[in-house]
Amino acid sequence: MSELIIENVWKEYGDQIVLENVSLTIASRAFVALVGPSGCGKTTFLRMLLGQERPTRGTILLDGQPIPTEPGRDRGVVFQRYSVFPHLTVLGNVLLGKEFSNARYKAKLFGAARRNAVEEARKLIGEVGLSGAEQKYPAQLSGGMQQRLALAQALIMKPKVLLLDEPFGALDPGIRAEIHTLMKRLWHETQMTVVMVTHDIREAFTLASRVVAFERRRDRPEEKQRYGATITKDISIWPPRLAGVPSKFSPDRDGPIDSLGYSRDDPALSGE
Amino acid sequence: MRWINTRPGRGAQLTLLLLPFVLLIAAYSAGSVARLAENPSDKLLPNLAGFADAINRMAFLPDPRTGEYLLWSDTVASLIRLFAGLGISTVMALVLGMAIGMLPYLRALLSPFVAVISMVPPLALLPILFIIMGLGDASKIALIVIGVAPTMVRDLALKALELPREQIIKAETLGGSSWQIALRVVLPQILPRLITCLRLQLGPAWLFLIAAEAISSDSGLGYRIFLVRRYLSMDIIFPYVVWITLLAVVTNYILDRVRIAVFPWSELEKQA
Ligand SMILES: Nc1ncnc2c1ncn2[C@@H]1O[C@H](COP(=O)(O)OP(=O)(O)O)[C@@H](O)[C@H]1O
Ligand SMILES: [Mg+2]
């Protein structure tokens, strides 16, 4: 089980109200896509789920317990960039979580323990389609491969919740479609709860079981400081999707999108 | 074609590389010939034979008074001081720099202090060092440490701080403790920077060493230069200067090779 309950959460930075009165209950094994205009506080919201930031007001519960105030192994994360360690090979990146958990002081595994961990890591590397690249460094991988590596690295911890902040925003459309298929498969296999920030609406509807939109209700320049964003739309995809449960009605719609041409968060066009 | 797009070929590159050195030697030779033509016993710009004789005396014939081969004994004495000073500075930079970069409490405590200390002109402290530590090697090594360590500490602290926050968060979600993250994420990524930093500090380190040796010593390259100055022995001073430069250049080169060999990913990152 990994149910997230967000109750009346506010987030302010100094005078600026970023999020106001956000309440959301995310069921176990759901895949929630957060969409909204740039700067409306999606990343801030994710940071609070991660434990990197604390809400100014309100509570966040994971399985009924207040969320820890620092990041931990129950919540995995993939960012748009800097999610993998440039000084470790593909294998080293995926192994790292295992080494942290099993070698308290050396943070490095040897002998049989290492062999077991390597075996597990290789399996995951294969799952995300990086077999053969085990000894490469991230700088030698394409953007799509790096994000797949970041996924494998996070998944080896078997987190309850996986948090994704525009993980595929910088990828080419073709590569993105490929990684969507992978993402969907991993979600079904691991049956974890996923919260993904994206500003690609199509991506949101392709992957998620539920699409939640954040928006400022008042967005005139002089009101920006005083009013934060909140949930303005909350759409459950029909037919319902749930990790580990095959779609009854339209398996084709849950397949990968084949988007051509550019979309708004292509790197060359993105305003960020 | 634009100037910015015209590149030298291999041969031209080598020629260009050698040109300034050849010009320097040619200019010196011309000056030397002119002066010696006027006054054969001129000491200011000795000719090649003069240098060969001096080098032979210093490097390959034992000193009549002490029986030592002066160039080598001077080199050993200087290098021991230099590397002792740089070694101590390196260890300090690593420990303090990482601690300041990673731990907010230590940063609050030490960061302003180190910034102020790094502004103290080290040579102004030399008399104090001589008074407290005596005229032996300790005060010279201390001068090098005071001269280069604060800069190195600051540089490494900055480097540790510069690591993308995302990486540290990611490591936390993989279950890493502060110690584990220091050991496996921060340390390996700042070690290449440490080597580069060390290379940049070679110049200042030699400066402080020679200054200390000039003022009080009974051996060392700096000591010898300032000793023979009294006899206007340019035939010894010039080769010593060239020798010191050569030592610095070789150290610099070796350190860079070590970085590339030990941290291959740091070179990849540069190209990426
Ligand atoms: N650490 C911070 N300090 C002050 N303001 C911040 C901080 N982090 C984010 N903000 C502000 O919060 C707002 C929302 O930012 P963010 O969550 O990154 O938006 P999004 O991810 O939706 O594009 C922005 O206006 C940003 O300036
Ligand atoms: Mg964002």
Side-chain angles (χ1 to χ4, degrees):
Chain A
M1 285 301 289
S2 44
E3 185 191 41
L4 275 168
I5 300 178
I6 296 111
E7 273 176 345
N8 306 323
V9 161
W10 292 65
K11 181 68 193 177
E12 297 163 19
Y13 286 113
D15 284 344
Q16 189 193 1
I17 300 177
V18 176
L19 290 171
E20 60 176 57
N21 209 14
V22 175
S23 293
L24 186 66
T25 298
I26 299 176
S28 187
R29 286 154 68 189
F31 192 134
V32 173
L34 296 180
V35 298
S38 197
C40 75
K42 305 182 295 294
T43 297
T44 306
F45 183 72
L46 215 62
R47 282 207 191 117
M48 290 192 293
L49 296 186
L50 200 51
Q52 191 188 345
E53 296 273 353
R54 281 179 222 193
T56 314
R57 261 169 287 165
T59 49
I60 302 179
L61 305 174
L62 172 58
D63 285 341
Q65 299 296 318
I67 211 146
T69 50
E70 59 177 5
R73 45 180 303 172
D74 51 347
R75 286 150 294 150
V77 70
V78 175
F79 300 104
Q80 184 169 10
R81 294 173 62 207
Y82 306 123
S83 278
V84 294
F85 301 106
H87 62 292
L88 296 175
T89 60
V90 167
L91 185 62
N93 264 288
V94 180
L95 271 182
L96 192 63
K98 283 272 145 197
E99 296 188 301
F100 280 162
S101 344
N102 298 336
R104 195 148 162 221
Y105 297 107
K106 286 189 196 137
K108 212 164 168 61
L109 293 173
F110 302 95
R114 181 178 159 84
R115 275 195 297 280
N116 291 337
V118 165
E119 198 176 313
E120 193 178 335
R122 279 185 191 278
K123 238 171 85 192
L124 254 175
I125 291 170
E127 290 266 315
V128 300
L130 288 177
S131 293
E134 284 90 347
Q135 298 309 326
K136 290 207 166 128
Y137 287 100
Q140 297 167 303
L141 303 179
S142 70
M145 291 164 93
Q146 288 188 21
Q147 291 309 77
R148 282 185 275 159
L149 172 58
L151 278 172
Q153 185 183 42
L155 291 181
I156 204 162
M157 300 308 291
K158 304 200 169 69
K160 288 182 178 175
V161 181
L162 182 63
L163 304 168
L164 308 169
D165 194 354
E166 302 188 20
F168 316 129
L171 306 182
D172 298 333
I175 307 224
R176 208 179 314 161
E178 222 171 76
I179 213 167
H180 285 165
T181 321
L182 171 68
M183 189 64 235
K184 195 161 268 190
R185 205 184 74 225
L186 292 174
W187 176 54
H188 281 300
E189 282 172 9
T190 56
Q191 309 197 358
M192 54 193 170
T193 306
V194 179
V195 181
M196 176 177 78
V197 169
T198 174
H199 51 225
D200 179 352
I201 301 278
R202 195 206 294 242
E203 178 171 87
F205 280 92
T206 307
L207 289 176
S209 62
R210 183 175 171 192
V211 178
V212 171
F214 279 37
E215 222 171 333
R216 284 200 178 81
R217 290 231 172 77
R218 295 158 192 256
D219 206 17
R220 290 210 309 259
E222 70 272 19
E223 292 171 341
K224 253 194 175 142
Q225 285 261 320
R226 304 292 310 131
Y227 295 89
T230 191
I231 296 177
T232 53
K233 293 207 178 58
D234 185 347
I235 302 163
S236 291
I237 304 293
W238 199 93
R241 297 169 178 165
L242 192 63
V245 182
S247 170
K248 284 189 209 107
F249 300 97
S250 54
D252 55 318
R253 213 182 72 170
D254 286 359
I257 52 159
D258 42 341
S259 78
L260 291 168
Y262 48 72
S263 46
R264 49 181 281 207
D265 58 353
D266 267 6
L269 292 166
S270 112
E272 280 178 312
Chain B
M1 198 189 253
R2 288 180 189 81
W3 289 5
I4 53 173
N5 289 328
T6 53
R7 290 163 201 282
R10 269 179 153 259
Q13 199 139 25
L14 191 68
T15 316
L16 288 172
L17 182 147
L18 291 176
L19 190 64
F21 296 100
V22 173
L23 283 180
L24 187 66
I25 294 171
Y28 178 88
S29 306
S32 168
V33 167
R35 280 192 79 103
L36 287 175
E38 233 169 75
N39 171 12
S41 61
D42 179 80
K43 296 194 83 173
L44 271 190
L45 300 180
N47 60 13
L48 223 53
F51 284 138
D53 181 48
I55 293 171
N56 187 40
R57 234 179 322 121
M58 299 307 288
F60 304 111
L61 296 176
D63 181 55
R65 201 164 51 80
T66 61
E68 280 182 344
Y69 296 84
L70 288 179
L71 178 66
W72 308 119
S73 61
D74 284 340
T75 304
V76 168
S78 284
L79 286 185
I80 287 176
R81 292 168 191 147
L82 185 82
F83 288 129
L86 284 174
I88 294 170
S89 306
T90 303
V91 172
M92 281 177 67
L94 208 53
V95 174
L96 285 178
M98 257 176 75
I100 292 174
M102 288 187 70
L103 304 170
Y105 265 94
L106 270 183
R107 182 152 64 243
L109 178 74
L110 289 179
S111 183
F113 181 70
V114 174
V116 169
I117 291 295
S118 72
M119 294 298 159
V120 176
L123 284 177
L125 291 179
L126 191 54
I128 302 176
L129 293 178
F130 280 148
I131 292 168
I132 294 176
M133 311 181 88
L135 300 175
D137 281 354
S139 53
K140 297 177 189 75
I141 293 170
L143 180 72
I144 296 176
V145 172
I146 291 171
V148 303
T151 318
M152 290 179 73
V153 171
R154 288 179 84 189
D155 193 51
L156 281 204
L158 268 183
K159 184 68 196 168
L161 261 177
E162 254 174 34
L163 287 181
R165 191 72 210 153
E166 285 90 338
Q167 272 191 25
I168 308 294
I169 303 276
K170 178 83 183 204
E172 289 177 63
T173 65
L174 297 179
S177 63
S178 301
W179 165 252
Q180 290 178 319
I181 293 174
L183 196 64
R184 294 297 312 277
V185 177
V186 179
L187 177 66
Q189 291 197 71
I190 61 173
L191 280 180
R193 178 68 208 176
L194 178 69
I195 294 183
T196 305
C197 183
L198 197 55
R199 286 170 57 206
L200 293 175
Q201 293 303 317
L202 280 177
W206 273 107
L207 166 74
F208 296 126
L209 175 69
I210 289 171
E213 285 180 346
I215 293 174
S216 150
S217 190
D218 48 17
S219 65
L221 297 166
Y223 159 76
R224 193 69 52 198
I225 291 180
F226 278 81
L227 181 74
V228 300
R229 178 185 61 106
R230 295 180 207 157
Y231 318 112
L232 287 181
S233 296
M234 295 297 259
D235 55 343
I236 293 177
I237 294 179
F238 272 126
Y240 262 64
V241 171
V242 171
W243 175 238
I244 291 172
T245 311
L246 201 66
L247 287 175
V249 168
V250 169
T251 321
N252 184 37
Y253 178 79
I254 291 175
L255 284 174
D256 202 34
R257 288 282 115 189
V258 166
R259 177 183 65 81
I260 295 171
V262 183
F263 311 106
W265 57 269
S266 67
E267 199 63 10
L268 291 169
E269 281 294 303
K270 235 192 243 172
Q271 292 153 8

